[in-house]
Amino acid sequence: MEVLNEEFIRKHLKTKFMGRNVIHLDTVDSTNDYAKIHGENFAEGTLVTCGEQTKGRGRQGRRWESETGLCMSVLLRPQIEMQHISKITQVCAAAVSAALSELGVEARIKWPNDIFINGKKVCGILTEMKIAEDGSPLVVAGMGINVTNESFTDVIKDTASSVLLETGMNVDKGIIAAKILNNFEILYNELQKGNFEASLKICRERSYIIGKEINLIEGGKITAATAIGISPDGELVVRYQDGRIGSVISGEVSVRIR
Ligand code: BTN
């Protein structure tokens, strides 16, 4: 298994704070859990990575299976109003997509937070928040990126893939991590200045679902629609089959391409 090379991260890092403090654990249950538990003591931008994650978590209570993937969580102390915090997920997705694009990889964003190459998922993002003792929000932006994985379990093998399998490129995990952090810091700083558009532009231009026929799944109910855009607040804008236009808030529904 290729090990994450911290030196490579540092060598390629252009940031002021993201990834400047790295906590690398050989084995951890979940880098997100670790960052949430210990985050109050970490500087903003602290990166938690690992060699092996034994209880990786995905969205909606799912497990994240990626023993050989790149697992990383970034601790953030956003100075923005609470209503804007969920936007960090899309900022992060934009950063991952921009990082892969710098490597010449055509990575698409499946709103709000999955990254696809050639129609297969290569990265998932799980952003979580907790309130620190002083009442301020602590955000953990967790990313699981399949960089050099060569196989997947039966459960996900039809839908998941890796950068290596889709492009043939054997990219160093440390370089990908550094490029993500470089882009993330720029876009996160913009968000804090009130400029979410910088991330939205990337999410729209590299969208995997705008223009596609989708199913919206909410509590067992399936509604067919067409994805037609992303609103200034990051909601998915859809046209239902009866012609009505609506918007969908991330976290409330799952989106499947028909
Ligand atoms: C999803 O697609 O459902 C989100 C997956 C997020 C996985 C990453 S791996 C690093 C971090 N630690 C976790 O336990 N989860 C996230």
Side-chain angles (χ1 to χ4, degrees), residues 215-228:
N215 278 333
L216 301 169
I217 306 163
E218 188 178 4
K221 185 171 163 245
I222 301 176
T223 311
T226 306
I228 59 171

Side-chain angles (χ1 to χ4, degrees), residues 229-240:
I230 300 174
S231 77
D233 276 331
E235 295 165 357
L236 183 68
V237 183
V238 297
R239 187 188 309 108
Y240 296 106

Side-chain angles (χ1 to χ4, degrees), residues 17-32:
F17 64 95
M18 277 205 200
R20 289 293 163 190
N21 181 34
V22 179
I23 298 174
H24 180 80
L25 306 154
D26 287 338
T27 301
V28 67
D29 47 4
S30 152
T31 53
N32 263 33

Side-chain angles (χ1 to χ4, degrees), residues 84 86-95 97-98 108-109 111-113 183 186-188 190-191 194-208 210 229-237 248 250:
H84 298 304
S86 62
K87 293 180 174 138
I88 293 173
T89 302
Q90 278 165 290
V91 172
C92 191
S97 158
R108 301 255 149 210
I109 302 168
W111 181 93
N113 59 345
N183 282 283
I186 294 168
L187 295 170
Y188 173 73
E190 287 302 314
L191 177 73
N195 176 15
F196 182 39
E197 267 302 314
S199 295
L200 279 180
K201 185 169 184 292
I202 297 172
C203 292
R204 290 182 183 124
E205 285 173 359
R206 308 223 176 102
S207 172
Y208 180 58
I210 294 177
I230 300 174
S231 77
D233 276 331
E235 295 165 357
L236 183 68
V237 183
V248 178
S250 84

Side-chain angles (χ1 to χ4, degrees), residues 30-32 53 56-59 64 73 114 121 124-125 143-144:
S30 152
T31 53
N32 263 33
Q53 189 175 244
R57 291 186 296 103
R59 289 172 76 219
W64 177 255
S73 300
D114 288 340
K121 178 165 168 173
I125 295 163
M143 293 153 254

Side-chain angles (χ1 to χ4, degrees), residues 53-70:
Q53 189 175 244
T54 54
K55 280 193 191 144
R57 291 186 296 103
R59 289 172 76 219
Q60 296 169 338
R62 286 192 285 263
R63 195 171 134 50
W64 177 255
E65 291 178 30
S66 181
E67 283 72 14
T68 58
L70 166 59

